[in-house]
Amino acid sequence: MKTEKKSKKSQKSISPKNKKILIGAASAVVILLIAGTIILFKPSKNFTIAFYKIEEKQRQGITEILNKAAAAQELQPVYIEYNADKSLKEQIPLTKKPNIIITGSGYPVETAVDKASGKAALSGDLTSGMTSSMRAGIKLNDGKIAALPILSSHFEVDIDLAEFQNSNTKYINTWNDVEKFMREQKRKKESPMIFAGGNPDLLLDLMGAMAESIDGTESYSAAAKIIQTTDNPVRAAIKLCDEPDSPLATSVKQLKSWYKFGFIHPGTFSLQQNDVEAFASSRLSSVLFMSLENHRACAQKTISRYTSIYFPSEHGANSRIFTGKTYYAVPMLKSPKSEALLAALVTPEYQESLSRATGLAPVLAQCRTPDKQSDDARYWIAATTVPLPGLSNEAYLTKQQKTAIAAEIAARIKN
């Protein structure tokens, strides 16, 4: 009986009036949650374009041309720059993504495509006039364009043209030819070869480019796999350089030989690009390694004395894959404005403008280029296939990891 009375009392404890209040309060909470979710997932009103791992000169040039293309659509883009020393994956927000990300080949573009909205891919055919190499580089999602190539770079050898013309070396087709030229230069210059060996990205890209040119693309791919799967820098360096089938062993051996004979400046592995330019300006070195981006950052008076060539090899052109970043535009949200803007970037008018503003090679086969370097880079890549991104871009590595791996490789070359 007591239990029954208690139950009845409990049932009477919430009056009809209080029930209405509780129901009303619960409904208000639900409405607020729904409204909050809508606000959270609603795209930003700003048309936002983000850059990741794009060098300053190229970023400024691309921004200049994007502004011109956007003005034609009455757009005023907002630009942001993600931290190049952090993973792109952790910087792309879950909500309010940028409309477009401009980034390079390798893990950056793969990450951007993976993080894009499933409906963001471009449905139009934007490949008209592209070289076959750049068409092959397009990233697809269900047959639609998920990442569009807009420019390409190249990792090059720069030769002092006047010194070459006055030398007994008549041509450079192989690394033996490079060595012959350096032997001649050694009589006049203390160290005829130099590069920014203190920059871990450049050193890793150099090692990968040499591996491809000496041992073939299989060696590059094997090195890339080690970098992608080996977390410990020391263990990675051992796998890359020291084991019987190490993919970088031959490249290390070649550089070690040049270092031993004094062809490579002894301070090379602590130098940055501005140091390389200083050496070149003083004509202290006749052979340089650098990317096309580095080339464009040099003073014209200095770099104009050098002619660019691709990494020589005994392998035929049909088996080569050159190293050089491909620049991609990745639509992150479904937007007709994004599609129209990106479609404009691959027209002859804007491709020429992009090439002039950045100094890089266009993706179209026929548009004009500002000079021989960008035209050569386009031709070399068009004659082969989609360029390799460089070992520094094959996987996300922290600055500490890259520095440690590069230091291990440099120690093997010097000792």
Side-chain angles (χ1 to χ4, degrees), residues 6-25:
K6 186 177 180 181
S7 177
K8 287 180 179 179
K9 185 177 179 180
S10 178
Q11 290 174 8
K12 292 180 181 179
S13 63
I14 302 177
S15 67
K17 183 179 179 180
N18 288 338
K19 281 185 178 180
K20 289 182 179 179
I21 293 172
L22 287 172
I23 291 170

Side-chain angles (χ1 to χ4, degrees), residues 251-393:
S251 302
V252 168
K253 183 179 179 182
Q254 180 68 81
L255 290 171
K256 186 180 181 72
S257 171
W258 291 343
Y259 188 84
K260 177 183 176 182
F261 287 113
F263 299 153
I264 299 175
H265 189 277
T268 289
F269 296 99
S270 62
L271 299 182
Q272 300 297 323
Q273 184 58 29
N274 61 328
D275 301 311
V276 173
E277 184 174 354
F279 270 78
S281 177
S282 300
R283 311 202 78 161
L284 297 174
S285 296
S286 302
V287 182
L288 318 174
F289 289 135
M290 65 177 68
S291 67
L292 185 52
E293 289 91 346
N294 298 145
H295 186 119
R296 296 310 187 189
C298 291
Q300 180 60 24
K301 183 179 179 181
T302 296
I303 203 64
S304 62
R305 295 198 295 264
Y306 290 80
T307 186
S308 305
I309 65 172
Y310 56 78
F311 273 42
S313 178
E314 295 182 358
H315 302 286
N318 60 348
S319 62
R320 297 295 307 276
I321 304 181
F322 295 128
T323 295
K325 182 191 293 183
T326 301
Y327 286 63
Y328 284 92
V330 183
M332 301 300 292
L333 300 168
K334 183 175 177 59
S335 166
K337 292 179 179 179
S338 293
E339 186 152 357
L341 186 63
L342 297 186
L345 293 185
V346 288
T347 60
E349 174 191 355
Y350 282 103
Q351 277 287 290
E352 179 183 346
S353 297
L354 278 170
S355 184
R356 289 188 181 281
T358 63
L360 301 178
V363 298
L364 298 188
Q366 296 299 327
C367 72
R368 293 185 296 180
T369 57
D371 56 21
K372 186 176 186 298
Q373 282 77 31
S374 51
D375 193 37
D376 282 348
R378 171 173 59 179
Y379 174 77
W380 296 332
I381 292 168
T384 53
T385 187
V386 189
L388 301 165
L391 290 182
S392 70
N393 293 309

Side-chain angles (χ1 to χ4, degrees), residues 121-143:
L122 311 174
S123 56
D125 180 8
L126 306 181
T127 65
S128 177
M130 280 191 183
T131 64
S132 58
S133 298
M134 289 296 101
R135 282 200 305 273
I138 290 174
K139 309 295 181 183
L140 298 175
N141 183 359
D142 291 333

